[in-house]
Amino acid sequence: GQQVMQIPQYQHVQEGEDFTTYCNSSTTLSNIQWYKQRPGGHPVFLIQLVKSGEVKKQKRLTFQFGEAKKNSSLHITATQTTDVGTYFCAGHQAGTALIFGKGTTLSVSS
Amino acid sequence: SQTIHQWPATLVQPVGSPLSLECTVEGTSNPNLYWYRQAAGRGLQLLFYSVGIGQISSEVPQNLSASRPQDRQFILSSKKLLLSDSGFYLCAWTRGTSYEQYFGPGTRLTVT
């Protein structure tokens, strides 16, 4: 069945360093979504990418969708302690429910 | 604006006891509704989803069941809880399968 793999599982950085999480699907996706879950909280939608090769930015966050629509990445520039949490990608294939990756948990030390 | 509610926020139940978790959505009609479970430090496991009243799709065979008695109400139930049912249960809604999902605050269930 469809799988969405996400790496790394955990990442610790010093405040100010960059961070990237990668998402790979076994099948072509119609779109990919990214969510953030703060410790003790629930996932919150960040962004959706639909087009092949699409790049979107939200302040220090840069999201990319691969040309083959099978992979995606989230890059955070100059991390802050407020970036702490687990970042999930979720892939959608036409006619199927959204499939979530297992997430990357980011910790930031000041 | 749309709001999603879940209750209770936390629950401690003995093994073998029944379970009923409720989720309601306000401010929208005919939403797609989802139940997820998240084990401690783990990803989201889709349990059930519903595209309409009385329509339930099960993703994982287990001792849980779901019902949708009203358009904006989604209920997760169990007749007899297992220790492995412990986790963080999240309800979510979306306008359609290709749209973003909005999660409720969740219920932390501990089965003892």
Side-chain angles (χ1 to χ4, degrees):
Chain A
Q2 180 186 0
Q3 292 186 8
V4 174
M5 309 299 292
Q6 199 172 346
I7 57 170
Q9 186 175 359
Y10 301 98
Q11 181 77 58
H12 177 79
V13 299
Q14 295 288 324
E15 191 173 22
E17 292 181 338
D18 292 356
F19 159 77
T20 304
T21 174
Y22 300 90
C23 186
N24 290 286
S25 169
S26 56
T27 57
T28 302
L29 301 170
S30 56
N31 66 57
I32 195 156
Q33 301 171 7
W34 286 91
Y35 294 78
K36 177 183 179 181
Q37 183 177 23
R38 294 180 184 274
H42 58 275
V44 174
F45 173 77
L46 293 176
I47 207 161
Q48 177 171 280
L49 304 172
V50 179
K51 299 177 182 178
S52 170
E54 189 170 14
V55 178
K56 287 189 176 180
K57 292 189 176 184
Q58 290 181 348
K59 298 183 180 178
R60 294 177 295 104
L61 277 61
T62 302
F63 304 84
Q64 291 187 314
F65 200 11
E67 293 290 340
K69 301 183 74 173
K70 286 188 174 182
N71 58 76
S72 181
S73 65
L74 158 59
H75 179 81
I76 302 179
T77 304
T79 55
Q80 300 175 358
T81 54
T82 53
D83 295 325
V84 164
T86 300
Y87 293 86
F88 292 97
C89 63
H92 177 253
Q93 189 179 32
T96 68
L98 201 59
I99 304 296
F100 280 82
K102 293 189 181 300
T104 296
T105 299
L106 172 66
S107 58
V108 180
S109 54
S110 56
Chain B
S1 63
Q2 299 84 13
T3 309
I4 179 167
H5 302 278
Q6 277 187 255
W7 60 91
T10 60
L11 190 60
V12 180
Q13 293 283 95
V15 169
S17 64
L19 173 73
S20 181
L21 301 181
E22 189 166 344
C23 170
T24 59
V25 181
E26 296 178 355
T28 188
S29 59
N30 197 30
N32 286 7
L33 296 172
Y34 303 81
W35 278 113
Y36 291 89
R37 177 170 61 200
Q38 186 175 36
R42 303 292 296 277
L44 298 167
Q45 180 187 30
L46 177 62
L47 301 175
F48 301 95
Y49 70 94
S50 171
V51 298
I53 296 175
Q55 300 179 57
I56 308 295
S57 295
S58 174
E59 292 294 307
V60 181
Q62 56 208 331
N63 69 321
L64 299 173
S65 62
S67 62
R68 184 169 178 175
Q70 300 180 40
D71 180 46
R72 290 170 290 175
Q73 184 184 32
F74 205 20
I75 297 172
L76 183 68
S77 304
S78 175
K79 292 182 179 179
K80 290 185 178 182
L81 284 169
L82 306 172
L83 286 174
S84 57
D85 291 324
S86 292
F88 189 35
Y89 287 82
L90 291 155
C91 180
W93 78 272
T94 182
R95 290 178 289 159
T97 54
S98 63
Y99 294 93
E100 64 270 23
Q101 295 193 4
Y102 297 94
F103 287 82
T107 296
R108 296 195 182 278
L109 171 67
T110 303
V111 182
T112 60

